[in-house]
Amino acid sequence: MSRLEVQGLHASVGTREVVRGVDLDVASGEVHVVMGPNGSGKSTLAHALMGRPGTTVTAGSIRIDGTELVGLPSWRRARAGLFLALQQPIEVPGVLLGATMEEALAGTGGAGRGDPGGPDGTGTDGPGTDGPGTDGTGTDGVGRGGVAERLAEEAAAIGFDERFLRRPLNVDLSGGERKRNEVVQLCVIRPKFAVLDEIDSGLDVDAVRAVSRRIERATSEWGLGVVAVTHFYRLLRELRADKVHVLVDGRIVSSGGPELAEELERTGYGLYGAADAAGIGADST
Amino acid sequence: MLTAARAATLGGPEWLRERRAKAAEELAVMPRPSEKEEVWRYTPIDELELDAYEPLRGGSREDLGTLGSELVKGVVSDLPAYAALATVLDGSLVSVDRAALPPTVRVGGLEGDAILGQVLDGGDALVRANDAFLPDAVVVDVPAGVAFDAPVVIVHWCTAGGTPSTASFPRTVVRLGRGSSAQVVEVVAGPAGAGRGLVVPVTELSAGDGSQLSYAAVQVLGTEVWHIARVAAVAGRDATLRTFSMGLGAAYDRSRTDALAEGSGSTTELRSAYLGTGSQVHDIRTLQDHAAAHTTSDLLCKGAVAGTSRSVYSGLIRVRRGAVRTNAFQTNHNLVLADGAHADSVPNLDIEENDVRCSHASTVGPVDEDQRYYLESRGIPPARAERLIVLGFFDDIVQRCPVPVLVPRLRREVELRLVRALELRSGAHGDAGQEADDDG
């Protein structure tokens, strides 16, 4: 069992403080959804967690299993078990997805960063507890085959066209394909925790469903813990959330179960004094 | 010395000796290139003492020596197959291996005066010097209607070097008849540590009506040599002419490609790549010249400068009167990999017609921060992320080489030099430990 603990996090972009005191406590296998209106600090929170240059943590801590991530470069945070699915995945001409995953897994024993051999081991959250998952044929971790096979398998799971696996990263991919690409990478890398920044934007309803199923399966398959930030309620129609947090003006103003999201859908963010009080069920993408 | 008297000592048929003598006389009174001219701006050309060089006269297979022979073998061993292999020593043809060449295609030395100077007549002092001191030329003459897939490979072994400084003047002429199709590769190489020699290759490419010519030049000379290359190309009606150049070696490496879309409906496609390490200067000049209607040209030049190297890309799209419905695109991307490195990009348009579509774009800058962050967010350490991004940057242009069998070789040449350059740099920054951490 792993734990992502965020305490009193403040983060600035330039001189502007955007995240102004965020606490999160996410355990392996849990799905936390952070909802907030535009400009509430969702993306900055995501980048502060991953350590994007230009996003400065001014106070607070981010720990995975006691390891402090604040002050570490992004790649070290990733190696500690954190993953970020970007809202706008970056094009990298000439760099193939396969080569990127090879590099990402270099030095991790090829098993990804999930921790099936940890104290709780495969006995509690290994294959078998997640029903008839497509991964039921093998054990977690080492022995799951090469990167190419894993990419093909993960692409098939969420309807990501296999042709795109041979493309340079995100080059000539639509917005929706890029989001699927992020989920494919997430499932090949198998981090302990994934931050999903607006993973549902650009995806149609079927795709949101497929991606949500895959992420849920990951929570039992290798105990992935999830922090999904989103503007829209519709993600919660598909993704089973254990906790919902409402982020307004850089602070979490309310936390609760999935029922909180239903309430939000009815009332909007206006209740929390947000300037952007439009109905959050509306989907402009 | 590059004098008429010296030119007169070169052998060959009467017409060639006369041609050389005329060029040498013209050269004697021509202005030498100057950085004050736009075409030589940003270059170190004022340092060139052209007249001080001793012209090399080539030689036989024996003169090629072990080193040259090994180089030729090395180049060829990388290729799955070639149609013909021409080995050239300082401009004189040493041997031709007709491995799989259609019988009507001629690959050989000069025979008669009908072919030389058809595409490039005149030119600056360096072209004139080539005219005056070329020992021979490699001629690839493909008759109408002949098509073959494997490339004709020409390996130029250039021994130009130091004290007294010597110069090589390789010359190549490629002519494709109506409706024919061929690929031609030129590799320009020489011994490492040869000193400050001068290599001045001139290549004439002529793609007849409806023909398809793919041409690639790769320069891997020693790091002190000056390489000043000129490619002059002309595409006939509905012809497709593709050129590619990659500059890796030399102290000063200039590659100028002038591509004339002379026949209506013709297409020219220019690709250039360079990688600067140490204190190299790479200088890429292109001209997309449109003289007929319904013609298309597309240029992509990509390169990177590391260490204290410099680069200049300067390109012109010229649309002459009457060349209506021209499409012309010009793109230049430069990566600056070190604080001490510098790249200049000078795109130009000269359009005399209205009904045309032209665009140009250029970028100069370091490795993209967002790309680096994206890869790092996958757990890839910065040095490895940068290597991936820069290799990817080059892969993007190398993949577009119009002679596809060359691609693996080009990729290896780039990777070898790049990895060395990036390691040098990370060593200088004192963060070489990153890689060790990564493997822990």
Side-chain angles (χ1 to χ4, degrees), chain A residues 135-147:
Chain A
D135 189 42
T137 50
T139 58
D140 277 358
V142 182
R144 286 175 44 82
V147 163

Side-chain angles (χ1 to χ4, degrees), chain A residues 47 50-53 74-76 78-79 83-84 86 89-95 100 103-104 106 113 169-170 182 185 189, chain B residues 302 368-371 373-382 384 387-393 395-396 434 437-440:
Chain A
H47 288 304
M50 199 71 236
R52 179 185 194 151
S74 301
W75 71 278
R76 290 255 187 227
R79 297 252 156 159
F83 181 93
L84 170 63
L86 273 76
I90 309 294
E91 268 188 47
V92 194
V95 178
T100 306
E103 288 280 2
R113 295 194 242 294
L169 283 172
N170 297 312
E182 294 291 274
Q185 294 180 51
I189 291 175
Chain B
K302 291 180 80 166
D368 186 80
E369 272 301 319
D370 287 338
Q371 292 180 353
Y373 170 59
Y374 185 62
L375 293 187
E376 286 189 36
S377 77
R378 316 285 111 149
I380 301 174
R384 298 190 80 90
R387 185 185 300 186
L388 269 180
I389 293 166
V390 179
L391 281 173
F393 173 86
D395 231 34
D396 184 57
Q434 251 164 20
D437 287 344
D438 164 41
D439 297 330

Side-chain angles (χ1 to χ4, degrees), chain A residues 70-132:
Chain A
V70 173
L72 294 183
S74 301
W75 71 278
R76 290 255 187 227
R77 299 183 192 209
R79 297 252 156 159
L82 192 65
F83 181 93
L84 170 63
L86 273 76
Q87 182 179 4
Q88 285 168 328
I90 309 294
E91 268 188 47
V92 194
V95 178
L96 300 178
L97 177 57
T100 306
M101 290 298 97
E102 299 274 3
E103 288 280 2
L105 295 175
T108 65
R113 295 194 242 294
D115 191 20
D120 291 328
T122 51
T124 54
D125 58 358
T129 60
D130 60 331

